[in-house]
Amino acid sequence: MVVALQSQPSALLPVVAEVLPRVARIALFIAFGVFLANLAVGFGLVERVAGLSRFLTGPANLPDEVGTAILTTAASTTAGYGMLAEFRESGTLDDKATLVAVTINTFFGFVQHIFTFYLPVLLPILGLRVGLLYVGSRALVALCITFTGVFAGALLLSPANVDQSTTTAADGGAQERGSDTPREVVHNAWDRTLPKLRRIVPRLAVVYTLVVVLTRTTDLTALTEVADPLATIVGLPGAAIPVIAVFALDTTAGAATIAPLVGVDFTARQAVATMLIGGIVSFAVSTFKRSIPFQYGIWGPRFGSKVVAVNTALKIVWIGAAVATLLWIPSPL
C-alpha cells in the first residue's frame, strides 16, 4: 500500500508536465482574444476594421463585431475563438450565429499555418509541384468551408439570431462608447475578461488531464486501420496504405515517407490525395487529443460538441470532394 501511494505522485508528474504548459498557453491566447474583443468595442475599433471583412459578415447576416474575430483568427486561432466566445457569452450571437461564425473562421485559421508550417516545413520536403498542389488543395478546402458558413448564414440567420445592443458588456446591457477615458476602457475590458478565464481555465485543465491520461493508456494507432478500405475504395495504389497510416499520426513524417515515392509509386495527384485521406483518418486522433479539449474548454461540453461535429463533418465532406477531384477529374496538373 505504501509503495502504491508513493508511486502515484510520480505517475502523475508526466501528466501534469504535459497538461500545464498546454493549458497555460491556450489560456493566455484566450485572455488576449477576450480582452481584445472588449477593447475593440470599447474604443470603437469595430467600425474601422469592419470593412475588411464585411464581404463575409454582411451576406452571412452577422454583425460587424464578428469581423474583428475573423481578422484576429488569421494571427491566432485561439484568440479569434476567444473573441467569438465573448460575443456568445454577452448575447451578441446566439448558438446558431456562433456556429456560422466559427465555420467562416476556418480559412483564416488556415492562413497562419501556411506561413508557420506548410511553406517552411512541408514544401521543402514534398518539392515544389507536390507541395504547392497539397497546400493549394488544403487552402481550397478551408475556403470552401468558409463559404459554406457564409451560405449557411445567408440561409439560416436573421436579426433574431443577433443582438447588437449587448455588444460585449458583461452585464448584457448596452455599452455607451466614447463616454469613458482610454484608461477606463482598458480597465473595464480587463474586468470583463477575468470572469471568462475563471470559468474556462479550470474546465480546460480537467478535460486535457482526462485526455492525456486516456491517450497514455489507450492505443489510438488502431484507428488508422480504416486506411486500407479508404485507399481501396478511391483506387489508390497499395503503397498508399502505410503512408496514410504514418501521415495520420504525424504530418511531417507522412510527407517525408511519400516524397521519395512520387514518380515511382505515385503520381503527384495520387500523392496529394493520399495525404488528404491521411488527414481524414487523423481526425479521429486529433479530434480526441486536441479539438475536443480545446472546444470543450472554450464553449463547454454541450455547445463544444456541436462545434466539433460541424467542423469535422465539413472537413470530411470537402476533403472528400478534393480527393475525388484529384483522382477522377482529368487535369494537366
Side-chain angles (χ1 to χ4, degrees):
M1 177 65 72
V2 174
V3 174
L5 290 174
Q6 289 177 341
S7 63
Q8 287 177 0
S10 60
L12 288 174
L13 284 178
V15 175
V16 174
E18 183 173 346
V19 169
L20 283 182
R22 188 180 301 178
V23 171
R25 183 174 63 254
I26 293 175
L28 180 64
F29 280 111
I30 290 175
F32 173 74
V34 174
F35 183 62
L36 187 62
N38 288 316
L39 282 181
V41 174
F43 283 119
L45 299 178
V46 171
E47 292 83 356
R48 300 181 186 180
V49 301
L52 300 176
S53 57
R54 195 169 283 149
F55 70 98
L56 294 175
T57 57
N61 295 316
L62 291 170
D64 291 343
E65 285 86 347
V66 174
T68 60
I70 289 174
L71 296 179
T72 301
T73 301
S76 168
T77 304
T78 307
Y81 267 81
M83 295 179 76
L84 289 178
E86 174 68 2
F87 296 142
R88 177 173 175 264
E89 290 282 344
S90 69
T92 301
L93 304 176
D94 69 359
D95 284 2
K96 187 185 294 185
T98 304
L99 280 174
V100 168
V102 167
T103 303
I104 293 175
N105 256 1
T106 302
F107 177 75
F108 297 88
F110 175 81
V111 167
Q112 61 173 296
H113 297 299
I114 293 178
F115 301 101
T116 60
F117 177 67
Y118 288 108
L119 293 184
V121 178
L122 283 192
L123 198 61
I125 294 175
L126 294 172
L128 190 62
R129 184 186 179 194
V130 175
L132 289 178
L133 187 58
Y134 176 69
V135 175
S137 298
R138 290 301 303 263
L140 187 60
V141 165
L143 192 61
C144 286
I145 294 174
T146 287
F147 282 123
T148 299
V150 174
F151 179 77
L155 191 66
L156 302 175
L157 297 186
S158 69
N161 302 109
V162 176
D163 185 2
Q164 291 179 287
S165 66
T166 60
T167 64
T168 57
D171 59 359
Q175 194 174 0
E176 185 180 350
R177 298 171 191 166
S179 59
D180 294 332
T181 66
R183 183 174 181 177
E184 288 173 332
V185 171
V186 172
H187 185 269
N188 291 335
W190 179 244
D191 284 344
R192 291 191 293 269
T193 300
L194 285 177
K196 304 297 185 300
L197 291 179
R198 294 192 187 104
R199 181 170 60 256
I200 291 174
V201 172
R203 195 162 57 198
L204 277 173
V206 171
V207 178
Y208 267 119
T209 299
L210 292 175
V211 167
V212 169
V213 170
L214 287 174
T215 53
R216 287 175 177 270
T217 57
T218 305
D219 183 16
L220 296 178
T221 58
L223 295 172
T224 61
E225 292 176 0
V226 299
D228 195 339
L230 273 177
T232 303
I233 289 172
V234 300
L236 287 171
I241 296 171
V243 172
I244 291 172
V246 174
F247 197 88
L249 297 175
D250 186 272
T251 302
T252 305
T257 301
I258 202 171
L261 302 178
V262 177
V264 181
D265 295 304
F266 299 92
T267 65
R269 291 167 62 126
Q270 287 176 330
V272 173
T274 298
M275 290 186 288
L276 290 175
I277 292 176
I280 292 177
V281 176
S282 72
F283 286 155
V285 177
S286 63
T287 296
F288 181 73
K289 294 179 68 175
R290 291 183 290 274
S291 185
I292 287 179
F294 176 71
Q295 302 294 355
Y296 279 26
I298 290 181
W299 311 107
R302 185 184 66 84
F303 188 70
S305 296
K306 294 181 181 180
V307 173
V308 170
V310 169
N311 281 343
T312 302
L314 288 174
K315 285 179 181 178
I316 290 176
V317 167
W318 283 111
I319 289 180
V323 170
T325 301
L326 286 166
L327 295 180
W328 300 333
I329 298 180
S331 170
L333 295 176

